[in-house]
Amino acid sequence: MKQPGEQFIHQKDPKFHTSKEVEHEQKRKKKKGEQTSQKPKDKLEAWFKVIEKTHGHYDDPRVLERIKKYYHKQYVIKPKNIPQSYWNLQKRLAREQGHGDIEIDKKQHAEVLVADQESTLDNWVEYFSGPDASVYPVWAKYWSFKSMLKLASFDKEKHAFAKRKKNTVAPFPDLNREALAYVIDIIVKKVNKEDIPVENGNEELQKIIQSENFGKLYAYAIEKVTPTEQNKLINTEGEWMKYAQGSDHMPLVESLQSYGTGWCT
């Protein structure tokens, strides 16, 4: 049986098939008397079936919440890891705004940073666990999600995503479904050795496709394939919204999704 998706993941991470989570599934199968294999592709295929099953309960909010909390614990910044440079910046901004040398409420700031990261991460978890993403192979969703976790803010001048570290305070990248669909379609076709329609002379895209780099492909898709509509850029009509200090900031966060503002709320 051909397993191009599993082979692709194995090439990207040659040691993943020996990881704790993958080996756990092999042990479970042995205990149940099921056939197991030591081939990396077979082990990954078995593990992806588990992921598909455990992440497919989008109709049960309780299961989805448990999945979200797991990823929060794994990938959302811990208050103790917020770098001193962030607090220095907040003090400098306060001085520039005429507030003088004030004491920063670190607890409140940390809560906002954590909430921003949780909400942007949840967008990806909900989408990949939901019915709309069921058309994608599990291995492709895994590759996209794990790659996204390594990205921070999008730098519009450099046309690239910054790399995420454990002390990165920026939210996770915005979920642009159209751009994501473009990226997954390309990588699935490449892995399956299918023709990828590329405009003649587009050497930039050719190089990015060959790199198999999610961040570069996603950045390209956001800028070239699904750019912000011009009428959104020039339209200044709208309404003023007031967000009282200390109130829930999530309505503001959600209103900025997919606009690529790079704002940290």
Side-chain angles (χ1 to χ4, degrees), residues 33-49:
E34 299 178 10
Q35 185 176 358
T36 60
S37 170
Q38 288 304 306
K39 293 181 179 179
K41 292 186 291 185
D42 292 338
K43 293 171 71 175
L44 292 179
E45 182 181 38
W47 188 73
F48 284 137
K49 287 181 180 179

Side-chain angles (χ1 to χ4, degrees), residues 41-99:
K41 292 186 291 185
D42 292 338
K43 293 171 71 175
L44 292 179
E45 182 181 38
W47 188 73
F48 284 137
K49 287 181 180 179
V50 173
I51 291 296
E52 185 173 27
K53 182 178 180 180
T54 57
H55 287 62
H57 297 280
Y58 49 82
D59 55 341
D60 190 336
R62 295 171 300 176
V63 175
L64 187 58
E65 284 304 310
R66 285 200 296 269
I67 293 173
K68 287 180 182 179
K69 288 182 179 179
Y70 170 79
Y71 288 120
H72 291 172
K73 184 178 180 180
Q74 292 287 107
Y75 302 110
V76 171
I77 191 171
K78 307 297 187 293
K80 66 179 181 180
N81 291 330
I82 297 175
Q84 184 59 42
S85 58
Y86 174 80
W87 304 120
N88 294 340
L89 174 61
Q90 300 312 307
K91 289 185 177 182
R92 180 169 65 80
L93 291 175
R95 286 196 299 270
E96 291 176 354
Q97 294 170 2
H99 300 300

Side-chain angles (χ1 to χ4, degrees), residues 130-158:
D132 292 342
S134 61
V135 295
Y136 303 134
V138 180
W139 66 262
K141 290 192 284 187
Y142 170 82
W143 170 75
S144 302
F145 185 72
K146 292 293 286 188
S147 300
M148 177 279 299
L149 291 172
K150 300 175 183 178
L151 306 179
S153 302
F154 182 69
D155 189 320
K156 293 185 178 181
E157 294 184 0
K158 295 181 179 179

